Amino acid sequence: MAVIGVGLIGGSLAGAARRAGLVRTVIGCGRSPENLATARRRRLIDRATTDPAEAAAGADLVVLAVPVGTMAAVAAAIASRLAPGAVVTDVGSVKGAVVAALEPLCARVGAAFVGAHPIAGSEAHGAGAADPRLFRGQRCILTPTPTTDRAALARVRALWEGVGMRVEEMEAAAHDAILARVSHVPHLLAYALTAAVAGACAGEHELLAYAGSGFRDTTRIAASPADLWRDIALANRPQVLAGLDEFGAALDAIVDLVRREDGTALERVLAAAQRRRVALGTAAPARPRRRAGPRVR
Amino acid sequence: MAVIGVGLIGGSLAGAARRAGLVRTVIGCGRSPENLATARRRRLIDRATTDPAEAAAGADLVVLAVPVGTMAAVAAAIASRLAPGAVVTDVGSVKGAVVAALEPLCARVGAAFVGAHPIAGSEAHGAGAADPRLFRGQRCILTPTPTTDRAALARVRALWEGVGMRVEEMEAAAHDAILARVSHVPHLLAYALTAAVAGACAGEHELLAYAGSGFRDTTRIAASPADLWRDIALANRPQVLAGLDEFGAALDAIVDLVRREDGTALERVLAAAQRRRVALGTAAPARPRRRAGPRVR
């Protein structure tokens, strides 16, 4: 298995697949020799290279774990070196644009592409933050198309199930509509709230000095790498803008009630949201016990 | 000490003050006999009553820990029974409206009012969620006026320092400007985001089923009691509306860059917020070691 991009997700997958015995050898590829050295020291990968084409050559499973906006360029750089019948997959948070670019590119060189999005992660980044347990009990969405090779699809499913994920399949468009609203828009809101408050003062008091746990939790994901989220916002632009509109409408309704001092309606709206949020619970789904997954290769 | 409202804050304060030996006897008052029974069982309070006037009678320190919109009515209900020279304080998240209502009301009956806001808490509520360690290392803001009794101010300061808080003083208007932006607006955003996503579907997929840790953290405070936050939003309405405008401007700037596909400027804005958020850190300030506080009464 070649993992192009040994960051939080790529590094965690590499380590998890090795631990679970799903792969024989993992070649890690990245731009930063320091990060690759960290990945080797942490035994996430067996071998390292800074050349994507070299990493991909001979691999029968290639995982692209680079920012969404870089996927197509990296795929183009490795295409000519892919082994016949190689399976290429990705971990991008946007699927429509990635699948549209990579599926035909892989098909042209006799490789099979399967779009995937493991819904796991944090605001941390780099191989130093990688955690082979990151995926356990979380959802992974695969977005096959009518032309996706069924054996390749099964292989990618086995990889993610093997590291503990609950795998399901849906169309890329449905994935992008969902993730825009539960992930991409919340990230942009967290950046915006941080931008609105950071550096501002009330008199001589710096606002951020008074931030409590509520502000910290609400903005935690604004510590995520800016380049990743710039790419995601642009690659999923129509759905992100639609999700932002829906959020704006919900916020406008609340602002209007505050402005009009309509306490009865305001409490009704807040209480409805409160009930839904309480029902969602505080923790991510319980992590199931580790199980021995099938060997992917 | 009489604590009117034995919820998360009132119950935590009662328990913390008892543990630290700051008070001799704590009388807890609330509407729910079940909640008061919980408070007694957890040894947060010594005695319980559902009658605020009875609780206040004879107490030399009265803490109002009820929703902001209820403060004035509760203060009016206890005023005639306050002991001469009694100190009355509160824990409200809005100070301007509360101080304006309670200071003259207390002065008329020979009691001294000191506005206070311990910046601590969570989305939980009730005596069952109370935690005597809740306040340690967190900030408490006192909002004395030019007419505040200095001995009463010192006594309220000693109470909060005695349960481990870092106490500072500022004008009520400054407090309300700050808290609108770091707390009140983030709460309304969390309710709005939950309202926008909860119950919505993409095709047959319910959006909330795909919420990961980012969405959960961003909306955690939307599980807070709706009546509390309705009161806060209305009592601090001008500052909350101003803070919402500032957030709206920051979000509009990001939305505009997404709409115009200006990746360079978008990354710059996101990266600036990322740096500020990383610098803020993930945890609330470290909790100092518990220290023996002065006796408040």
PDB file of all heavy atoms in Angstrom, chain A residues 54-66:
ATOM      1  N   GLU A  54       7.283   7.428  -7.456  1.00  0.00           N
ATOM      2  CA  GLU A  54       8.097   6.317  -6.951  1.00  0.00           C
ATOM      3  C   GLU A  54       7.297   5.510  -5.927  1.00  0.00           C
ATOM      4  O   GLU A  54       7.346   4.280  -5.894  1.00  0.00           O
ATOM      5  CB  GLU A  54       9.370   6.878  -6.294  1.00  0.00           C
ATOM      6  CG  GLU A  54      10.304   5.803  -5.768  1.00  0.00           C
ATOM      7  CD  GLU A  54      11.450   6.417  -4.955  1.00  0.00           C
ATOM      8  OE1 GLU A  54      11.918   7.522  -5.309  1.00  0.00           O
ATOM      9  OE2 GLU A  54      11.854   5.798  -3.950  1.00  0.00           O
ATOM     10  N   ALA A  55       6.529   6.214  -5.082  1.00  0.00           N
ATOM     11  CA  ALA A  55       5.722   5.527  -4.076  1.00  0.00           C
ATOM     12  C   ALA A  55       4.676   4.633  -4.734  1.00  0.00           C
ATOM     13  O   ALA A  55       4.410   3.512  -4.296  1.00  0.00           O
ATOM     14  CB  ALA A  55       5.034   6.552  -3.169  1.00  0.00           C
ATOM     15  N   ALA A  56       4.069   5.152  -5.798  1.00  0.00           N
ATOM     16  CA  ALA A  56       2.960   4.432  -6.430  1.00  0.00           C
ATOM     17  C   ALA A  56       3.431   3.246  -7.270  1.00  0.00           C
ATOM     18  O   ALA A  56       2.697   2.259  -7.430  1.00  0.00           O
ATOM     19  CB  ALA A  56       2.153   5.390  -7.305  1.00  0.00           C
ATOM     20  N   ALA A  57       4.671   3.338  -7.785  1.00  0.00           N
ATOM     21  CA  ALA A  57       5.160   2.300  -8.697  1.00  0.00           C
ATOM     22  C   ALA A  57       5.183   0.952  -7.974  1.00  0.00           C
ATOM     23  O   ALA A  57       5.839   0.802  -6.950  1.00  0.00           O
ATOM     24  CB  ALA A  57       6.555   2.659  -9.196  1.00  0.00           C
ATOM     25  N   GLY A  58       4.456  -0.001  -8.479  1.00  0.00           N
ATOM     26  CA  GLY A  58       4.480  -1.335  -7.895  1.00  0.00           C
ATOM     27  C   GLY A  58       3.465  -1.549  -6.798  1.00  0.00           C
ATOM     28  O   GLY A  58       3.219  -2.680  -6.390  1.00  0.00           O
ATOM     29  N   ALA A  59       2.885  -0.480  -6.276  1.00  0.00           N
ATOM     30  CA  ALA A  59       1.861  -0.657  -5.232  1.00  0.00           C
ATOM     31  C   ALA A  59       0.587  -1.192  -5.860  1.00  0.00           C
ATOM     32  O   ALA A  59       0.222  -0.799  -6.961  1.00  0.00           O
ATOM     33  CB  ALA A  59       1.588   0.673  -4.536  1.00  0.00           C
ATOM     34  N   ASP A  60      -0.091  -2.101  -5.177  1.00  0.00           N
ATOM     35  CA  ASP A  60      -1.377  -2.532  -5.737  1.00  0.00           C
ATOM     36  C   ASP A  60      -2.541  -1.794  -5.108  1.00  0.00           C
ATOM     37  O   ASP A  60      -3.669  -1.880  -5.577  1.00  0.00           O
ATOM     38  CB  ASP A  60      -1.555  -4.048  -5.643  1.00  0.00           C
ATOM     39  CG  ASP A  60      -1.268  -4.595  -4.288  1.00  0.00           C
ATOM     40  OD1 ASP A  60      -0.397  -4.049  -3.588  1.00  0.00           O
ATOM     41  OD2 ASP A  60      -1.931  -5.571  -3.906  1.00  0.00           O
ATOM     42  N   LEU A  61      -2.251  -1.017  -4.037  1.00  0.00           N
ATOM     43  CA  LEU A  61      -3.284  -0.169  -3.439  1.00  0.00           C
ATOM     44  C   LEU A  61      -2.640   1.191  -3.152  1.00  0.00           C
ATOM     45  O   LEU A  61      -1.631   1.268  -2.445  1.00  0.00           O
ATOM     46  CB  LEU A  61      -3.813  -0.801  -2.143  1.00  0.00           C
ATOM     47  CG  LEU A  61      -4.873  -0.028  -1.369  1.00  0.00           C
ATOM     48  CD1 LEU A  61      -6.134   0.160  -2.212  1.00  0.00           C
ATOM     49  CD2 LEU A  61      -5.224  -0.764  -0.076  1.00  0.00           C
ATOM     50  N   VAL A  62      -3.207   2.242  -3.724  1.00  0.00           N
ATOM     51  CA  VAL A  62      -2.655   3.584  -3.553  1.00  0.00           C
ATOM     52  C   VAL A  62      -3.725   4.464  -2.897  1.00  0.00           C
ATOM     53  O   VAL A  62      -4.835   4.581  -3.417  1.00  0.00           O
ATOM     54  CB  VAL A  62      -2.236   4.212  -4.900  1.00  0.00           C
ATOM     55  CG1 VAL A  62      -1.703   5.631  -4.685  1.00  0.00           C
ATOM     56  CG2 VAL A  62      -1.203   3.338  -5.593  1.00  0.00           C
ATOM     57  N   VAL A  63      -3.388   5.036  -1.753  1.00  0.00           N
ATOM     58  CA  VAL A  63      -4.326   5.891  -1.033  1.00  0.00           C
ATOM     59  C   VAL A  63      -3.853   7.344  -1.130  1.00  0.00           C
ATOM     60  O   VAL A  63      -2.754   7.668  -0.680  1.00  0.00           O
ATOM     61  CB  VAL A  63      -4.427   5.489   0.457  1.00  0.00           C
ATOM     62  CG1 VAL A  63      -5.418   6.393   1.193  1.00  0.00           C
ATOM     63  CG2 VAL A  63      -4.826   4.028   0.595  1.00  0.00           C
ATOM     64  N   LEU A  64      -4.678   8.186  -1.720  1.00  0.00           N
ATOM     65  CA  LEU A  64      -4.342   9.597  -1.816  1.00  0.00           C
ATOM     66  C   LEU A  64      -4.928  10.311  -0.595  1.00  0.00           C
ATOM     67  O   LEU A  64      -6.135  10.414  -0.439  1.00  0.00           O
ATOM     68  CB  LEU A  64      -4.915  10.197  -3.101  1.00  0.00           C
ATOM     69  CG  LEU A  64      -4.448   9.525  -4.409  1.00  0.00           C
ATOM     70  CD1 LEU A  64      -5.076  10.229  -5.621  1.00  0.00           C
ATOM     71  CD2 LEU A  64      -2.938   9.541  -4.519  1.00  0.00           C
ATOM     72  N   ALA A  65      -4.035  10.788   0.275  1.00  0.00           N
ATOM     73  CA  ALA A  65      -4.459  11.468   1.501  1.00  0.00           C
ATOM     74  C   ALA A  65      -3.875  12.873   1.533  1.00  0.00           C
ATOM     75  O   ALA A  65      -3.266  13.301   2.499  1.00  0.00           O
ATOM     76  CB  ALA A  65      -4.035  10.659   2.731  1.00  0.00           C
ATOM     77  N   VAL A  66      -4.088  13.577   0.422  1.00  0.00           N
ATOM     78  CA  VAL A  66      -3.592  14.945   0.273  1.00  0.00           C
ATOM     79  C   VAL A  66      -4.801  15.888   0.267  1.00  0.00           C
ATOM     80  O   VAL A  66      -5.941  15.441   0.137  1.00  0.00           O
ATOM     81  CB  VAL A  66      -2.770  15.088  -1.033  1.00  0.00           C
ATOM     82  CG1 VAL A  66      -1.536  14.179  -0.974  1.00  0.00           C
ATOM     83  CG2 VAL A  66      -3.619  14.765  -2.257  1.00  0.00           C
TER      84      VAL A  66
END
